[in-house]
Amino acid sequence: MSDSHPELELEQAHLDHAIRRLGEARSEAVRLQTMVEVGKGGTNQARYEREIINTKIAERLADLDVGDRSLAFGRIDQTADDGGGSYVIGRIAVSAENLDPLIVDWRAPISGAFYRATGADPQGLVRRRHFISRGREILGLEDEFFGDAAGSQSVVINGRELRGQGALVAALETSRTGRLSDIVGTIQGEQDEIIRASMDGVMVVQGGPGTGKTVVALHRAAYLLYTHRFPLAGQGVLVVGPNRLFLGYIEQVLPSLGEAGVQMAVLADLVAGVRVQGRDNQAAARIKGDLRIVNVLRRALVDRQQPLRTDLIVGYGSRRLKLDVKKSAKIIQEARRRFRTHNAARNYVMSEVVYTLAKSHPDRPDPDTIVDGLRSMSEVREALHWMWPTLTPAQFLHDLYGGPSLLKSATKKLGPSEGKALARPWHRTRLGANVLWTVDDVPVLDEAWEMLGPLPKNRRAEDAEVRTYGHIVVDEAQDLSPMQLRMLTRRSLNGSMTVVGDIAQSTGAWAHSNWNEILDHLPDRRPSSRRELTVGYRIPGPSIELAAKVLPYAAPDLKPPVAVRNDGREPRFVQVEAGQLVDQVIDTALEESAELGSGNVAVITPDDMAQAVVAAFGQRMIKVGSATKDGLDEPITVVPVGLVKGLEVDVSVVVEPAQIVSSMPQGDRSLYVALTRSTKHLVLVHAKPLPHYLQ
């Protein structure tokens, strides 16, 4: 790389031309939008057409908005045998006035060589050029030559040639902003193979810390939308993250790639009408994530579909009408046979009950003449509520968890302690409204909805069935329970999914030991595939070496990623007396932040220490962010170890490693996660003796 490259000015001039053309395209889109807005009124058809045009123009404006991000990041020059063309590769496609391409979209087929060409397989290139850019300015150029013009040296890591090392290192050394950035200009070969792979079936991507699995999965979503715009634009793409802190961290990546229409969600967002906060204890989380809970719900629902205990006799004028127990049992049996969901059968049961009562009238009137009067009778309504109540998932589960007899009946095939783990206080509530649920309740509520269906009076199309998606990206999948995976499978339209994670970072109540345990619960309509990211781009070598000491205890079958950056500061250990721990943590965070200048510092604590550390900062009148409230927007942020997975920061201050190990369900894995978040420096502050493998 050189900032005095003889062609630097030519490349800058080409980029400036492309930027002008991009501005002209935006101006034209704005002009069209103004023209559409002027045409008010007209027929319904005209208004509908204007709405469609407005939507398309808005989408085009979003596509053309690159903000202050680099528009172009490289060029490829083909051999004469492959056409001899030169193409600048960039964020979006831009054409000249004569429609010749000034910038080629990074997802276009011809751009693949920019990411995949190697000395052994140049893919028709004689040269690949990387731009070292900041916004609209090209700071330097880095050339790689192939074939006869190739140099004798290439950087090879784990059997892979490192592409654009100068541009890559420059990007890695940039300070973190509290938001994940795209890697579109520095995608490496092993990453590109995943991004451009077929969308058929489930693809599992195993990747250690710093290998870029999250950002690769997001680039894959953008690539699939570009390549399969029809039908994916209509079917939808869903990205599922482990928590809202994580979603806030990754939210800018897809818009920066020109894809703003992807739905991003945590699992709780996929279940309407419930409030979710916190998690259950380990015992309750295990049973709520177990597939056996499906049979618990089925038995509980059968218990709510009951024949009458005694004959129903109602007065109608001077006559007495009757529904006997045996007939009520037949109605229940027939309703179960005819209808897939519980609430869909409610009107049938009601009709059968009132018509049976009407037909028992000794004067044999036309039943239709008296059924309306019967429906409004309190005795009939009470009988219907006993036989076949209308139920929301929230009401159904609230009654089950809070009703000792219901819970005992439904959980009789579970162990006694497992059934008790589901119990919770019951209070009167209409249709389960205002009940606060946990993250672990979400897949159970979703399963209940599948059994119950919408209420009879709520048959809007969007409520009648679960929304499905043409492709689903699932991040940090190694922690998902069988019930959570079942919930995601229910939302897959065709079995196309990208599932990424790291078994070594599996820390939840349902921590998995291998990917087979996860694939068993995902769509199998088409064969699954597996890929592995082996190169650590983000974490400096000394930090990976320290974390590697934990890995044999966290996940003995896995190997740590190989670091691109072998240099870097050695991790620092600070030991203090117990009474000085929190003050030392604050002092260390301030020192690291001052030395860092720009960027962010994460104070990673055991979950039960986070609030106390935030309060201690406040007592010393020092501004600090709390991850649950502020994301990573502050220079210093306190992050509970249970929320830090998937995030990256410039500096990590890991507090009391031994307490992280002892307090978390998968303690060694939680510590491994904590030690692998920083891109520049790692500090461990402790009063208790360190775990033996770090001593």
Side-chain angles (χ1 to χ4, degrees):
M1 181 186 73
S2 171
D3 58 3
S4 59
H5 194 289
E7 296 184 10
L8 183 62
E9 290 186 6
L10 289 175
E11 295 291 8
Q12 183 67 58
H14 184 91
L15 178 60
D16 291 342
H17 183 195
I19 291 172
R20 286 195 300 272
R21 286 291 299 154
L22 186 63
E24 291 168 5
R26 283 186 55 80
S27 297
E28 178 63 17
V30 171
R31 186 183 69 82
L32 290 174
Q33 189 176 49
T34 303
M35 289 174 61
V36 172
E37 289 174 351
V38 169
K40 306 283 186 181
T43 64
N44 288 336
Q45 178 66 23
R47 287 193 291 270
Y48 174 75
E49 291 174 354
R50 280 199 303 273
E51 184 68 25
I52 295 296
I53 294 171
N54 256 323
T55 300
K56 294 297 183 184
I57 294 173
E59 291 174 354
R60 179 60 176 159
L61 283 169
D63 290 344
L64 296 172
D65 184 13
V66 299
D68 58 358
R69 298 180 292 271
S70 299
L71 176 60
F73 33 79
R75 191 182 93 187
I76 54 174
D77 298 336
Q78 296 176 322
T79 64
D81 291 342
D82 285 271
S86 293
Y87 300 93
V88 175
I89 311 301
R91 194 171 297 278
I92 61 173
V94 182
S95 298
E97 292 82 349
N98 63 359
L99 301 184
D100 285 344
L102 295 173
I103 307 287
V104 176
D105 192 296
W106 68 276
R107 295 169 289 186
I110 200 170
S111 302
F114 180 77
Y115 298 106
R116 294 194 183 184
T118 65
D121 180 18
Q123 300 205 358
L125 300 189
V126 66
R127 177 172 63 179
R128 172 171 53 203
R129 170 170 289 172
H130 300 273
F131 300 163
I132 314 299
S133 303
R134 182 175 57 236
R136 300 186 173 194
E137 182 182 3
I138 300 177
L139 305 176
L141 304 177
E142 179 183 17
D143 286 336
E144 297 175 86
F145 295 94
F146 301 94
D148 295 338
S152 59
Q153 296 292 325
S154 62
V155 179
V156 179
I157 297 179
N158 245 19
R160 297 270 188 172
E161 287 188 22
L162 195 64
R163 186 189 63 74
Q165 186 180 20
L168 175 63
V169 171
L172 293 174
E173 291 181 348
T174 300
S175 295
R176 307 299 103 177
T177 64
R179 296 289 187 274
L180 184 63
S181 299
D182 65 65
I183 59 167
V184 66
T186 58
I187 295 170
Q188 298 299 304
E190 70 171 4
Q191 298 173 327
D192 190 65
E193 290 172 7
I194 293 169
I195 290 169
R196 296 176 189 263
S198 166
M199 67 176 283
D200 292 341
V202 177
M203 174 188 284
V204 169
V205 181
Q206 161 69 34
T211 56
K213 54 187 176 294
T214 295
V215 74
V216 165
L218 295 172
H219 282 64
R220 174 165 165 75
Y223 171 79
L224 292 177
L225 273 164
Y226 175 88
T227 308
H228 305 280
R229 184 69 62 186
F230 177 81
L232 278 184
Q235 295 172 346
V237 174
L238 171 68
V239 175
V240 178
N243 52 61
R244 300 203 185 282
L245 173 61
F246 181 85
L247 291 186
Y249 174 65
I250 68 172
E251 66 182 357
Q252 294 179 357
V253 174
L254 282 165
S256 77
L257 299 173
E259 299 296 348
V262 174
Q263 181 176 346
M264 305 182 71
V266 296
L267 287 175
D269 297 330
L270 305 180
V271 178
V274 296
R275 295 187 302 137
V276 177
Q277 179 179 312
R279 293 183 176 275
D280 280 300
N281 60 47
Q282 184 85 349
R286 285 290 300 182
I287 188 57
K288 289 177 182 180
D290 196 314
L291 292 182
R292 292 180 298 161
I293 197 73
V294 176
N295 286 329
V296 169
L297 297 183
R298 287 172 181 160
R299 286 191 291 271
L301 189 55
V302 168
D303 288 341
R304 303 300 298 272
Q305 301 167 348
Q306 291 293 325
L308 296 172
R309 290 175 290 184
T310 59
D311 295 346
L312 172 64
I313 299 175
V314 298
Y316 192 82
S318 61
R319 303 298 188 182
R320 292 165 63 83
L321 309 183
K322 178 181 178 181
L323 170 64
D324 62 41
V325 172
K326 185 176 181 180
K327 178 59 179 176
S328 72
K330 289 183 178 179
I331 293 173
I332 296 296
Q333 183 178 9
E334 187 64 14
R336 290 174 182 162
R337 187 185 70 81
R338 289 190 179 198
F339 296 90
R340 187 182 68 83
T341 61
H342 173 85
N343 288 327
R346 165 72 179 201
N347 288 337
Y348 169 81
V349 174
M350 177 185 292
S351 296
E352 289 297 303
V353 166
V354 296
Y355 271 95
T356 300
L357 287 169
K359 290 176 183 177
S360 72
H361 197 294
D363 297 337
R364 302 295 183 188
D366 181 354
D368 290 334
T369 62
I370 64 173
V371 292
D372 287 341
L374 292 173
R375 290 177 195 272
S376 62
M377 289 184 173
S378 59
E379 305 100 304
V380 175
R381 291 200 303 270
E382 289 173 6
L384 281 168
H385 184 72
W386 170 261
M387 292 174 62
W388 205 277
T390 54
L391 296 167
T392 66
Q395 181 184 22
F396 176 51
L397 282 192
H398 184 55
D399 289 349
L400 173 61
Y401 292 165
S405 59
L406 287 173
L407 190 59
K408 183 177 180 180
S409 173
T411 61
K412 56 188 175 186
K413 292 189 177 180
L414 300 181
S417 61
E418 292 177 314
K420 291 179 181 178
L422 296 175
R424 60 181 282 175
W426 184 91
H427 62 269
R428 186 174 298 280
T429 173
R430 184 178 181 273
L431 299 180
N434 302 319
V435 176
L436 189 62
W437 302 95
T438 68
V439 170
D440 303 290
D441 284 317
V442 168
V444 188
L445 287 162
D446 191 63
E447 192 70 33
W449 192 97
E450 183 73 6
M451 295 180 183
L452 296 171
L455 297 176
K457 295 181 180 180
N458 191 22
R459 295 295 297 181
R460 295 180 302 169
E462 61 268 30
D463 295 326
E465 58 185 18
V466 167
R467 166 75 194 275
T468 57
Y469 298 85
H471 189 78
I472 301 177
V473 175
V474 186
D475 208 338
E476 303 296 349
Q478 71 276 356
D479 280 330
L480 296 180
S481 71
M483 285 296 293
Q484 290 170 325
L485 294 167
R486 179 182 174 95
M487 178 179 176
L488 290 170
T489 296
R490 189 174 289 132
R491 283 160 176 79
S492 176
L493 177 63
N494 50 24
S496 178
M497 302 176 75
T498 302
V499 177
V500 302
D502 180 12
I503 293 298
Q505 298 183 57
S506 185
T507 59
W510 274 94
H512 297 282
S513 59
N514 59 68
W515 285 105
N516 287 336
E517 296 178 4
I518 295 169
L519 283 170
D520 285 344
H521 306 290
L522 292 175
D524 58 0
R525 281 167 276 183
R526 297 181 180 179
S528 62
S529 60
R530 303 193 196 192
R531 305 293 179 96
E532 185 172 5
L533 293 168
T534 60
V535 179
Y537 303 97
R538 169 171 50 85
I539 307 172
S543 295
I544 285 186
E545 289 179 11
L546 180 65
K549 296 179 179 180
V550 185
L551 196 56
Y553 302 90
D557 295 332
L558 295 180
K559 295 180 180 180
V562 179
V564 166
R565 296 181 295 158
N566 289 319
D567 57 349
R569 295 167 59 188
E570 292 289 333
R572 181 160 69 100
F573 295 83
V574 180
Q575 184 172 11
V576 297
E577 298 296 326
Q580 302 171 350
L581 178 65
V582 175
D583 281 337
Q584 182 61 60
V585 167
I586 296 173
D587 291 342
T588 301
L590 292 173
E591 292 169 8
E592 293 292 334
S593 182
E595 184 175 346
L596 184 64
S598 62
N600 56 17
V601 175
V603 178
I604 303 173
T605 72
D607 283 359
D608 54 5
M609 280 185 63
Q611 291 185 352
V613 173
V614 170
F617 272 95
Q619 290 169 2
R620 289 177 54 171
M621 307 299 289
I622 299 170
K623 186 176 183 181
V624 68
S626 174
T628 54
K629 297 179 181 178
D630 310 306
L632 297 177
D633 292 337
E634 297 294 335
I636 301 175
T637 304
V638 177
V639 188
V641 70
L643 290 180
V644 78
K645 193 181 303 177
L647 308 181
E648 63 179 44
V649 294
D650 291 296
V651 177
S652 296
V653 178
V654 178
V655 181
E656 209 62 278
Q659 188 170 334
I660 289 175
V661 171
S662 63
S663 64
M664 300 298 289
Q666 298 285 333
D668 294 321
R669 292 181 175 182
S670 293
L671 180 58
Y672 181 71
V673 171
L675 297 179
T676 54
R677 299 303 98 199
S678 55
T679 64
K680 294 183 178 178
H681 193 215
L682 170 64
V683 186
L684 293 82
V685 182
H686 64 102
K688 299 178 180 179
L690 292 169
H692 64 91
Y693 39 70
L694 294 183
Q695 295 177 2

